[in-house]
Amino acid sequence: MKFTFKQFIVPNFGKRLAFMLPAVIMMGVFVSILVEIGWGTDPASFLNLNVASVLGLGLGNTQVIVYGIMFIFTFIFGAEMIGFGTLANMILIGYVVDLCRWIWSNTGFALILSEGNFALRIVIFALTLICFSIVAAIYMNAQMGVAPYDAIPNILSGWITVIPFFVIRICFDLSAVGIGVLAGKLNPEGIQGSIVGSILMSLLLGPVISIVGKPLKRIL
């Protein structure tokens, strides 16, 4: 499908934008908490965190670079999936994470998340995962474009029709974790985040987001 700027203006644009933009910002907030706890993040964040550690850049700059490469692939092979949500996810989340981590560090919240009471950290971790799944479902169901990271497995699924999409998506997420591990091995400080936690999220986040997203479709 040929790219056109008209695809940015979707029906009910104002309503969808009012849901999508805060959801993207909150995704960044919740990812920053997961990073500080250190028990695993979503596969895309795990990849970007470890690439950032090797490049010596902040997560925001790294995500723009990594997603920029993925955006080129998406533009060539899946231009119809590009919209305002694509750019918002690509640009905002990483910088929101950087800002929030700076705030957490300067308010002492980072210390609570990384070294605080174990039971409290479990509660925060569980609530953060639930909230992340909800805002991710809101972002996806606003249907204002797909993040470059999410677009690639959709494109691959269209090419490899004999394999179910969920299998392709899980393999893609696991590949992202694998690349993150390789990048982390090049970093003197080691791998950033939990490998096991990120693998579990690769397997579980998709189904959870799908469950949460069903009632949201009626709203959006």
Side-chain angles (χ1 to χ4, degrees):
M1 179 177 176
K2 186 177 179 181
F3 174 79
T4 170
F5 284 103
K6 290 182 180 180
Q7 67 195 57
F8 279 76
I9 310 301
V10 296
N12 298 317
F13 177 84
K15 180 180 179 181
R16 293 176 184 270
L17 185 66
F19 277 91
M20 183 275 293
L21 199 55
V24 169
I25 293 172
M26 292 308 299
M27 284 169 68
V29 174
F30 294 131
V31 167
S32 73
I33 295 175
L34 294 175
V35 170
E36 293 295 341
I37 292 177
W39 291 344
T41 64
D42 63 286
S45 297
F46 181 85
L47 166 65
N48 289 325
L49 276 170
N50 283 282
V51 172
S53 71
V54 173
L55 297 178
L57 299 175
L59 182 62
N61 290 335
T62 301
Q63 182 158 314
V64 169
I65 293 171
V66 173
Y67 279 16
I69 296 171
M70 295 181 178
F71 180 84
I72 295 172
F73 183 89
T74 303
F75 186 84
I76 296 173
F77 298 108
E80 70 278 6
M81 289 184 273
I82 296 173
F84 275 115
T86 306
L87 301 180
N89 186 295
M90 175 178 168
I91 297 171
L92 287 180
I93 291 181
Y95 291 114
V96 171
V97 172
D98 286 340
L99 175 61
C100 288
R101 293 189 70 188
W102 178 83
I103 294 173
W104 306 153
S105 177
N106 285 276
T107 58
F109 188 47
L111 192 61
I112 294 174
L113 293 174
S114 61
E115 301 179 17
N117 179 274
F118 185 72
L120 176 62
R121 293 169 69 200
I122 288 178
V123 171
I124 294 174
F125 182 73
L127 290 176
T128 301
L129 281 181
I130 293 170
C131 293
F132 178 83
S133 299
I134 292 172
V135 295
I138 292 173
Y139 161 73
M140 292 178 183
N141 284 284
Q143 296 181 350
M144 296 192 73
V146 179
Y149 179 90
D150 297 314
I152 292 178
N154 286 327
I155 294 169
L156 295 176
S157 180
W159 292 349
I160 313 171
T161 56
V162 295
I163 302 176
F165 170 75
F166 79 91
V167 174
I168 293 176
R169 177 61 197 237
I170 289 174
C171 290
F172 183 75
D173 284 339
L174 292 177
S175 298
V177 174
I179 295 172
V181 171
L182 292 176
K185 292 291 186 180
L186 299 175
N187 179 20
E189 296 181 1
I191 297 170
Q192 305 296 302
S194 167
I195 300 173
V196 175
S198 296
I199 289 175
L200 288 176
M201 288 192 197
S202 301
L203 301 174
L204 298 176
L205 271 180
V208 171
I209 290 173
S210 297
I211 292 171
V212 173
K214 288 181 180 179
L216 289 172
K217 289 182 180 179
R218 291 192 291 269
I219 299 173
L220 296 171

